[in-house]
Amino acid sequence: MADSRQKTDPPVLVGRVKRMMSILLNRPRVLNSLNTEMIRLIRRALEEAERDDSIRFVVLHGIGEKGFCAGGDIKTLAMAAKSRQLREAHEFFDAEYALDFRIYRFPKPVVVLAHGITMGGGLGLAAGADVVIGTERTRMAMPESRIGIFPDVGATGWLFKKCPEGYPEFLALTGYELGGSECVRLGLATHLCPFDRLPGVLLMLEDYSEPLPQKRKDAAEQLTRYLTSFLSTDSSPNPEMDEWVRTYFHAQDSILRIMETLSTCRSQEQLCADFFFQLGERSPTSLVLTLHLLRHNEGRAMDEVYAVDSKAVRFMLAHHDFLEGVRARIIDKDDKPQWRPQRIEEVDLSSILPQIFAN
C-alpha cells in the first residue's frame, strides 16, 4: 500500500495480470476521494473488463495505508455549488450512482480491498461487490448528514440487504463508525484479513490462472475458497447492542419518536448519550430526509433507489445546509454549522417529498 503516486500519474491506475483486472485508486493525499475523472476512468475500465473474455474478475483497491476511499471530493463539489455551477455537481452524482449500479450488475466477480477509511462513496463502490475484504484498520461509516447531505450512493436501499434489523436506520441517522471485525458482523464487509497480509491476498489474486464458472456468484465463491488461508469471517458478537438497536430503531418512521423513547432509556446509557450527541451534530433537514428515504427505499430495486437518490441530492445541493456544513466541517473547520432550520421539529418536507418519490 505504499504511496508511489507521481505528479503525472492518473488518479486511477488500471492493470491486467493473468485473469485479473486491477483498478487502483490513486489519490492518497485526499484518501482516494472520488472526482468525476476517477469515476469516468473506473467506468471505462469496467467496460473493458466486461468485453475482454480473458479477464474473469476485477479487483478495486487504493494506494496509501490510510484508506481505500473516503468518499466523494466534497470540497470540489461545494465550490461548484457555491458558484451556482450545480450542473457540474449533478453530473458527478449521476455518474457516481451509475457507476455503483454498474458494479451491482457487472457480469464478473468484483473484489474490494477495503483497508482503512472506507466511507460514503467508498462504501458505494463496495456495496455491489461480491467480496469486500476489511482489515483491523478498516473504518466504515456514512457520515454525510454532518455536512448537510444524506447517506446516498444507494445506502438507504442496500443497508437493508446487508445489515441486521434496526442497523440501517441506526447507521444512516447517526453515522456510527464501524471498526475492523464489526464491519463483518454488520454486513458491510464479507471477510476480514490482517492488514499485513493484504499484499499477499493481492499477489494470490494476481497469480490466479484457473478457469472460473460463468455465473458471477459461483465464480466469486470459487475465488473466496482460493483465498481461504488469508480470510476470516469471525467477528465478536454484541447481542446487547443488537437488541438495543433493534428495539429503538427498527421500522421507525419518526425521529422525534426515536428521541422520545431514547430519552427514557435505562439500558445502554453510553449508546443513548452518543446518539443524542451525534444527532446534535447533524443537519435536521438531512436527518428527516434520511428517515423518509429509508422508509421509502426499503425493499426496492437498486435502480429505483439510485433514481430517488439523484432527485434527493439535487434538493440538498441547493439547500443552505450543504454549503454551511462544508464550510463548518471542511473549509473553516469551526465545527459550528448554523443549520436552517435548527430544530428537527421545524423541518417540513411536505412539498418536496412528492417530487423526490415521484416515478
Side-chain angles (χ1 to χ4, degrees):
M1 303 298 170
D3 180 355
S4 60
R5 176 171 166 79
Q6 303 297 319
K7 291 183 179 179
T8 56
D9 283 348
V12 176
L13 303 176
V14 179
R16 295 171 177 80
V17 185
K18 295 185 178 179
R19 294 184 174 274
M20 181 187 97
M21 174 174 279
S22 164
I23 301 177
L24 182 62
L25 309 187
N26 189 30
R27 296 180 73 209
R29 292 182 180 178
V30 289
L31 297 175
N32 297 317
S33 295
L34 297 170
N35 58 27
T36 303
E37 181 186 8
M38 294 174 73
I39 291 169
R40 176 178 57 80
L41 292 170
I42 296 169
R43 187 179 181 92
R44 180 189 298 171
L46 289 174
E47 289 169 353
E48 293 174 3
E50 184 171 354
R51 289 193 302 266
D52 188 341
D53 291 339
S54 70
I55 298 297
R56 297 300 300 133
F57 63 95
V58 171
V59 175
L60 275 164
H61 50 137
I63 281 183
E65 295 188 356
K66 291 185 178 180
F68 163 59
C69 176
D73 189 342
I74 294 298
K75 187 179 291 188
T76 299
L77 293 169
M79 294 298 291
K82 188 173 184 179
S83 61
R84 312 314 295 175
Q85 300 296 318
L86 289 175
R87 180 177 177 181
E88 180 181 334
H90 295 168
E91 288 175 350
F92 167 82
F93 283 106
D94 286 347
E96 182 183 28
Y97 302 161
L99 172 61
D100 293 342
F101 187 53
R102 186 175 187 84
I103 292 173
Y104 260 99
R105 301 189 66 180
F106 198 65
K108 302 175 183 181
V110 177
V111 178
V112 170
L113 305 185
H115 71 283
I117 294 174
T118 304
M119 298 185 181
L123 278 177
L125 293 175
D130 304 272
V131 183
V132 180
I133 302 173
T135 76
E136 71 277 10
R137 301 184 184 184
T138 296
R139 297 294 180 269
M140 293 182 168
M142 296 296 294
E144 289 83 355
S145 54
R146 287 190 82 244
I147 56 167
I149 310 188
F150 63 94
D152 63 334
V153 295
T156 53
W158 51 252
L159 282 170
F160 291 101
K161 303 176 188 297
K162 297 176 180 293
C163 300
E165 287 185 347
Y167 277 101
E169 294 89 343
F170 175 69
L171 297 176
L173 291 172
T174 66
Y176 179 85
E177 186 175 298
L178 309 180
S181 65
E182 198 172 23
C183 303
V184 174
R185 182 174 73 84
L186 297 185
L188 299 190
T190 60
H191 298 83
L192 204 65
C193 171
F195 177 78
D196 60 5
R197 299 196 73 193
L198 208 55
V201 170
L202 187 59
L203 287 173
M204 286 278 287
L205 290 168
E206 289 175 346
D207 196 48
Y208 189 86
S209 59
E210 297 299 317
L212 283 173
Q214 288 299 314
K215 289 185 177 180
R216 175 177 173 173
K217 181 179 178 181
D218 296 340
E221 290 175 354
Q222 185 165 315
L223 281 175
T224 301
R225 288 193 296 271
Y226 173 70
L227 296 171
T228 296
S229 62
F230 287 89
L231 305 182
S232 167
T233 57
D234 293 341
S235 61
S236 300
N238 193 340
E240 294 83 6
M241 181 176 183
D242 293 348
E243 178 61 26
W244 180 82
V245 168
R246 183 167 48 251
T247 299
Y248 291 102
F249 291 89
H250 174 55
Q252 293 295 323
D253 59 7
S254 166
I255 295 177
L256 292 176
R257 191 173 303 117
I258 295 173
M259 295 170 64
E260 181 181 357
T261 56
L262 283 176
S263 67
T264 58
C265 175
R266 294 295 176 264
S267 64
Q268 300 293 325
E269 291 184 1
Q270 187 59 55
L271 283 171
C272 292
D274 290 346
F275 168 77
F276 284 104
F277 173 79
Q278 290 156 349
L279 243 63
E281 288 193 313
R282 286 161 163 73
S283 156
T285 300
S286 295
L287 289 170
V288 173
L289 177 60
T290 295
L291 191 55
H292 279 294
L293 290 169
L294 286 161
R295 292 283 70 87
H296 180 270
N297 290 333
E298 182 178 4
R300 290 186 182 269
M302 287 308 302
D303 58 336
E304 297 178 31
V305 176
Y306 289 121
V308 168
D309 273 4
S310 183
K311 297 174 186 176
V313 81
R314 280 163 164 75
F315 166 67
M316 289 309 305
L317 285 172
H319 195 280
H320 162 84
D321 283 7
F322 172 58
L323 288 180
E324 176 60 12
V326 173
R327 180 205 64 76
R329 306 297 189 198
I330 298 175
I331 297 175
D332 296 342
K333 298 183 179 180
D334 60 21
D335 276 335
K336 295 179 180 179
Q338 301 299 308
W339 307 122
R340 297 180 188 170
Q342 294 188 341
R343 295 166 56 85
I344 289 173
E345 297 92 325
E346 298 170 347
V347 177
D348 181 6
L349 299 182
S350 59
S351 63
I352 191 65
L353 290 176
Q355 300 174 46
I356 292 175
F357 295 148
N359 293 327

